[in-house]
């Protein structure tokens, strides 16, 4: 009953005002009595209805009484609402104490502003019921929850996104203030048995060639004499075609964005001389010896914390040999090479080789080294300008030897046509002394030719293709595997801009002669194509490892940038949960030819060049290529491969 008397204190406030004026009119007293009676009825109704419904836990104060107070006070036009004495009326539990807890002492409600100044969204009820939202009052009954809806149960929160150890490195590319942001390379500090020890024992790197002389000058070899005026005065070396291992590693030592913190690295370099390793054991050694260093390397890498970040997918290494030297299919002692690129761990890494496999996704072609290794940008500018001004008296030229043991080779036809043409220059290469072994003779012939023929060698590719482009000579290819699907990082996808393509079958079937085809190009077209070739020179050469070009990107820079982009895409796809389930590794050569807006591959005009023979399940192409790799050693006996 105390609550009723406290409530009446509010309703009697007008009476006190009137008493102060000394007036007590009878009609007003009657009115107050009537209102008091109505108030008692409401209280009793509220009392019985409250216990007629089971209690429900909720945060809201009953709205009916509050509305009454607000309406009553507003009717009296009271300028200030005095809430210091308001408290919640106690509710008798009638032996329902287990269901309805007793009320604590009344809570003091903050004093609101005058009613006249209340904003539209103001709700007095929100202030009065603070005692419940704070957990200090008893729970209201279900029938009293008339203004506020019960809280809506939200959906379960999504699981937090998966975190990746490489996220810091991925964010580095967004740091505009860091010139190396997104370009950092971490280099593994490998035990010397994987690199330097091989150089110290350089006499064993080749069965027929003393590689020691080619290891000087950071792998560039001895300087070339320019007495004939074919070269520039500086920057020319007798570089071995298989020296990319050491050249690339020494260039990496001068890379401007090396880091000792692998957590910010865009990629991880493994300075393993894979090409030198296999070259030691290709002939006369069992498969255990051939595989030993590769297995040792993988075992070492897999124990490293850097490897565990992506399982090796951010790692890359370089081998200055063709891919078939690292793709032994079986455990037969007679099979060629080692199995480095078939090891599960190595399949995650990217391996840069001078000739890649069209049917595999873990190797990428990079240019053979040429003889030119400039140390300054000016050396490149001077050479390019010189190539533009040369007079070229031969329509086309060819340097090479026939392949009588290979019935599919078109070299014999090329040599025959060149011999019988007055506009072709021929350098025949075979055992014994030959001008083919002289860098100055080769470069002089290329410098005097408009087009340079580049048929397949013992395998798809030839070093000669890069020597000819260095001389500003437009290359003529007969198989897309000789360049177009190999060096997609370094050459334009639109091969017609810088080269001529004559399918091998066109020559075999006598559908066209080389001279007829080349004469179809106008002098203007030839000039435009030659200019494209000359502009490509910086990206096809390896700068002197002891220096760095300032404005040009050499073959090393292009390859590193491509690797960084590849790793970044893999990381973004992992974060976004993307997976190319339609990827077909056998079609790897096609994916490199896709434009950025293309996502799938289909039939291609070059499919016949890369169709695999159906021979009962063996890996097509590899057996023939392994045989070609064996034959390539014959060229090494001649000191150089053309």
């Amino acid at each position: 009953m105390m609550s009723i008397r406290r409530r009446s204190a509010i309703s009697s406030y007008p009476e006190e005002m009137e008493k102060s004026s000394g007036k007590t009119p009878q009609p007003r007293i009657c009115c107050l009595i009537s209102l008091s009676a109505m108030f008692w009825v409401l209280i009793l109704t509220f009392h019985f209805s409250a216990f007629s419904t089971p209690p429900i836990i909720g945060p809201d104060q009953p709205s009916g009484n509050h509305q009454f107070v607000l309406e009553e006070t507003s009717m009296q036009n009271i300028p200030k609402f005095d809430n210091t004495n308001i408290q919640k009326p106690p509710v008798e539990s009638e032996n329902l104490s287990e269901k309805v807890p007793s009320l604590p002492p009344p809570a003091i409600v903050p004093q609101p502003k005058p009613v006249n100044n209340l904003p539209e969204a103001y709700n007095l009820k929100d202030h009065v019921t603070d005692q419940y939202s704070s957990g200090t009052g008893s729970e209201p009954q279900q029938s009293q929850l008339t203004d506020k809806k019960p809280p809506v149960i939200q959906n379960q929160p999504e699981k937090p996104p998966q975190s990746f150890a490489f996220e810091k490195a991925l964010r580095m590319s967004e740091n505009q203030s860091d010139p190396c942001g997104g370009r950092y390379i971490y280099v593994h500090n490998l035990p010397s048995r994987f690199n330097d020890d091989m150089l110290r024992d350089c006499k064993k790197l080749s069965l027929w060639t003393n590689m020691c002389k080619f290891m000087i000058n950071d792998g560039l070899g001895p300087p070339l004499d320019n007495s004939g005026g074919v070269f520039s005065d500086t920057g020319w070396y007798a570089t071995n075609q298989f020296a990319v291992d050491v050249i690339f590693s020494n260039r990496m030592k001068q890379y401007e964005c090396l880091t000792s913190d692998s957590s910010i690295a865009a990629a991880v370099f493994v300075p393993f001389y894979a090409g030198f390793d296999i070259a030691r054991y290709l002939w006369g050694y069992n498969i255990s010896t051939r595989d030993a260093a590769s297995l040792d390397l993988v075992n070492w890498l897999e124990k490293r914390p850097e490897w565990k970040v992506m399982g090796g997918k951010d790692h890359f290494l370089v081998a200055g040999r063709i891919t078939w030297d690292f793709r032994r299919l079986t455990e037969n002692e007679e099979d060629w090479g080692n199995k480095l690129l078939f090891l599960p761990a190595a399949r995650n890494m990217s391996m840069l080789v001078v000739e890649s496999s069209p049917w595999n996704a873990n190797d990428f072609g990079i240019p053979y080294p040429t003889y030119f290794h400039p140390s300054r940008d000016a050396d490149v500018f001077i050479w390019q300008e010189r190539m533009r001004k040369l007079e070229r008296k031969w329509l086309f030229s060819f340097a090479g030897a026939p392949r009588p043991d290979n019935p599919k080779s078109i070299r014999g036809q090329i040599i025959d046509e060149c011999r019988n043409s007055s506009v072709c220059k021929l350098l025949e290469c075979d055992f014994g002394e030959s001008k083919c072994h002289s860098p100055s003779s080769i470069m002089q012939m290329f410098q005097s030719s408009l087009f340079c023929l580049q048929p397949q060698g013992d395998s798809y590719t030839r070093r000669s293709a890069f020597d000819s482009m260095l001389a500003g000579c437009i290359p003529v290819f007969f198989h897309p595997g000789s360049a177009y699907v190999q060096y997609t990082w370094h050459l334009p996808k639109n091969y017609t801009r810088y080269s001529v393509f004559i399918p091998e079958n066109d020559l075999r079937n006598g559908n066209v002669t080389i001279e007829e085809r080349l004469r179809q190009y106008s002098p203007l077209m030839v000039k435009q194509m030659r200019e494209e070739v000359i502009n490509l020179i910086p990206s096809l050469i390896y700068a002197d490892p002891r220096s760095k070009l300032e404005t040009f990107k050499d073959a090393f820079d292009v390859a590193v940038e491509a690797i960084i982009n590849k790793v970044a895409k893999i990381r973004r796809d992992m974060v976004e949960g993307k997976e190319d389930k339609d990827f077909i590794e056998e079609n790897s050569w096609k994916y490199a030819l896709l434009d950025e807006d293309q996502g799938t591959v289909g039939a291609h005009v070059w499919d016949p060049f890369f169709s695999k023979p159906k021979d009962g399940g063996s890996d097509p192409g590899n057996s023939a290529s392994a045989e070609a790799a064996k034959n390539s050693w014959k060229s090494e006996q001649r000191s150089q491969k053309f």
Side-chain angles (χ1 to χ4, degrees):
M1 298 304 295
M2 290 296 296
S3 63
I4 298 176
R5 286 196 294 271
R6 291 182 182 272
R7 284 284 181 183
S8 63
I10 298 176
S11 61
S12 64
Y13 185 80
E15 258 184 85
E16 294 176 2
M17 292 179 61
E18 292 183 354
K19 287 180 181 180
S20 64
S21 63
K23 297 180 181 181
T24 55
Q26 294 299 324
R28 188 168 294 182
I29 293 175
C30 295
C31 180
L32 289 175
I33 294 174
S34 301
L35 290 173
S36 177
M38 293 176 61
F39 183 81
W40 273 96
V41 171
L42 289 173
I43 290 298
L44 292 174
T45 303
F46 166 79
H47 176 78
F48 288 104
S49 62
F51 289 100
S52 62
T53 305
I56 295 180
I57 298 174
D60 297 333
Q61 174 74 2
S63 60
N65 291 340
H66 300 154
Q67 184 177 2
F68 173 79
V69 173
L70 180 59
E71 291 176 354
E72 186 176 3
T73 54
S74 61
M75 290 172 57
Q76 302 299 330
N77 195 24
I78 300 176
K80 196 166 186 179
F81 184 83
D82 186 0
N83 60 4
T84 56
N85 294 322
I86 295 180
Q87 60 182 8
K88 186 179 186 302
V91 180
E92 296 180 8
S93 61
E94 295 182 354
N95 296 328
L96 297 176
S97 58
E98 295 181 359
K99 296 183 180 181
V100 183
S102 60
L103 285 173
I108 299 176
V109 180
Q111 184 175 3
K113 296 180 181 180
V115 175
N116 292 342
N117 297 325
L118 288 176
E120 291 182 5
Y122 187 89
N123 191 341
L124 181 61
K125 168 168 55 73
D126 294 336
H127 294 270
V128 178
T129 58
D130 282 347
Q131 56 180 318
Y132 298 110
S133 60
S134 63
T136 59
S138 62
E139 296 83 348
Q141 305 300 321
Q142 174 67 31
S143 62
Q144 297 166 328
L145 301 177
T146 57
D147 288 347
K148 285 192 175 181
K149 297 180 180 179
V152 178
I153 299 177
Q154 301 293 334
N155 293 331
Q156 292 295 329
E158 296 183 0
K159 294 182 179 179
Q162 183 180 358
S163 61
F164 298 91
F166 54 74
E167 289 181 353
K168 182 179 178 181
L170 204 56
R171 290 194 300 269
M172 291 299 295
S173 60
E174 303 172 3
N175 186 355
Q176 302 297 326
S177 62
D178 185 354
C180 287
R183 299 175 56 227
Y184 286 107
I185 298 292
Y186 178 85
V187 181
H188 275 298
N189 185 20
L190 295 180
S192 61
R193 65 181 181 273
F194 293 118
N195 39 50
D196 291 342
D197 287 354
M198 299 182 198
L199 301 185
R200 283 189 281 268
D201 203 11
C202 54
K203 291 183 179 180
K204 296 182 179 179
L205 295 181
S206 175
L207 184 61
W208 297 287
T209 305
N210 183 359
M211 293 291 291
C212 294
K213 67 177 181 179
F214 296 110
M215 296 299 101
I216 65 174
N217 294 316
D218 281 359
L220 303 182
L224 285 173
D225 176 62
N226 192 32
S227 58
V230 177
F231 313 121
S232 306
D233 292 333
T234 59
W236 290 80
Y237 300 85
T239 306
N240 185 275
Q241 65 173 345
F242 298 118
V244 170
D245 301 59
V246 64
I247 294 174
F248 200 98
S249 292
N250 286 328
R251 278 285 281 113
M252 183 63 77
K253 294 175 183 178
Q254 303 299 324
Y255 183 62
E256 67 273 17
C257 294
L258 294 179
T259 180
S260 58
D261 181 4
S262 63
S263 69
I264 65 172
V268 178
F269 179 57
V270 182
F272 171 51
Y273 295 160
F276 291 161
D277 168 56
I278 189 57
R280 298 178 295 180
Y281 307 121
L282 276 173
W283 292 94
Y285 292 89
N286 59 32
I287 59 176
S288 297
T289 302
R290 283 180 263 159
D291 292 338
S294 298
L295 294 171
D296 188 14
L297 173 73
V298 167
N299 182 62
W300 188 91
L301 288 173
E302 289 181 325
K303 295 178 181 178
R304 299 291 301 175
E306 297 85 5
W307 179 272
K308 294 178 173 62
V309 172
M310 294 181 67
K313 292 181 180 179
D314 54 352
H315 285 48
F316 72 104
L317 68 160
V318 175
R321 301 195 65 86
I322 60 178
T323 189
W324 317 111
D325 290 338
F326 310 99
R327 293 188 178 279
R328 191 184 71 246
L329 294 172
T330 72
E331 297 301 303
N332 296 330
E333 295 289 344
E334 297 77 15
D335 280 359
W336 181 258
N338 65 26
K339 58 181 181 181
L340 172 59
L341 285 176
F342 284 137
L343 297 176
R347 294 182 72 90
N348 283 346
M349 292 191 287
S350 298
M351 187 160 171
L352 312 187
V353 289
V354 294
E355 176 177 318
S356 63
S357 166
W359 307 292
N360 298 100
N362 60 334
D363 58 356
F364 303 87
I366 58 174
Y368 284 88
T370 65
Y371 303 112
F372 186 37
H373 306 282
S375 59
R376 303 176 306 152
D377 289 53
D379 295 339
V380 181
F381 283 121
I382 293 172
W383 180 258
Q384 287 178 305
E385 192 59 27
R386 180 180 170 185
M387 294 303 99
R388 290 186 179 99
K389 296 178 178 179
L390 287 177
E391 293 292 333
R392 302 176 185 266
K393 62 180 180 180
W394 302 107
L395 178 63
F396 61 104
S397 61
F398 175 64
R403 296 291 187 268
D405 296 334
N406 183 0
K408 294 184 178 181
S409 175
I410 61 171
R411 285 191 169 208
Q413 289 178 258
I414 290 176
I415 292 173
D416 290 341
E417 182 174 344
C418 193
R419 283 174 178 165
N420 297 324
S421 174
S422 60
V423 293
C424 180
K425 175 66 175 176
L426 176 65
L427 279 180
E428 294 188 71
C429 308
D430 211 333
F431 289 100
E433 293 297 324
S434 171
K435 290 184 178 180
C436 279
H437 306 152
S438 167
S440 60
S441 298
I442 289 291
M443 292 302 295
Q444 188 174 37
M445 183 188 73
F446 290 158
Q447 290 174 24
S448 61
S449 305
L450 294 175
F451 298 94
C452 295
L453 308 184
Q454 303 297 341
Q456 295 186 72
D458 299 300
S459 59
Y460 287 132
T461 61
R462 306 177 74 208
R463 170 186 177 156
S464 176
F466 296 97
D467 290 335
S468 67
M469 286 189 279
L470 176 59
C473 187
I474 302 168
V476 180
F477 296 109
F478 302 86
H479 193 291
S482 296
Y484 304 146
V485 304
Q486 289 287 342
Y487 311 108
T488 55
W489 293 347
H490 297 79
L491 296 175
K493 290 182 181 179
N494 183 0
Y495 62 88
T496 62
R497 290 167 48 189
Y498 68 92
S499 70
V500 175
F501 178 58
I502 303 176
E504 290 177 333
N505 281 339
D506 286 357
L507 288 184
R508 293 192 186 100
N509 299 332
N511 297 333
V512 66
T513 66
I514 298 172
E515 183 175 341
E516 288 174 352
R517 177 66 185 276
L518 297 181
R519 287 190 180 278
Q520 296 175 1
Y521 290 87
S522 68
L524 178 60
M525 294 174 66
V526 171
K527 182 179 179 180
Q528 292 173 341
M529 294 172 71
R530 182 168 63 249
E531 182 64 23
E532 186 73 24
V533 170
I534 292 173
N535 289 335
L536 286 173
I537 289 176
S539 64
L540 303 180
I541 59 176
Y542 295 92
D544 192 322
R546 297 161 293 187
S547 61
K548 187 183 186 303
L549 303 180
E550 297 297 328
T551 58
F552 289 117
K553 292 181 179 180
D554 72 343
F556 168 88
D557 294 320
V558 173
V560 170
E561 183 177 295
I563 282 291
I564 288 174
N565 292 338
K566 174 180 179 288
V567 173
K569 183 180 185 305
I570 293 174
R571 288 173 170 174
R572 288 194 298 268
D573 288 348
M574 291 175 67
V575 171
E576 297 171 6
K578 292 182 179 179
E579 181 182 358
D580 188 359
K581 297 181 179 180
D582 297 325
F583 178 79
I584 303 174
E585 188 173 18
E586 186 177 325
N587 290 332
S588 293
W589 64 271
K590 295 184 181 182
Y591 289 95
L593 303 178
L594 293 176
D595 294 328
E596 292 184 0
D597 57 344
Q598 292 179 290
T600 58
V601 298
H604 197 283
V605 66
W606 289 340
D607 282 341
F609 289 97
F610 301 107
S611 60
K612 291 186 170 185
K614 306 301 181 182
D615 56 359
S618 64
D619 190 347
N622 276 347
S623 57
S625 298
E627 187 63 31
K630 292 181 184 179
N631 294 333
S632 72
W633 280 84
K634 296 178 182 179
S635 297
E636 291 191 51
Q637 296 179 58
R638 306 172 193 139
S639 299
Q640 295 293 330
K641 175 183 176 182
F642 298 97

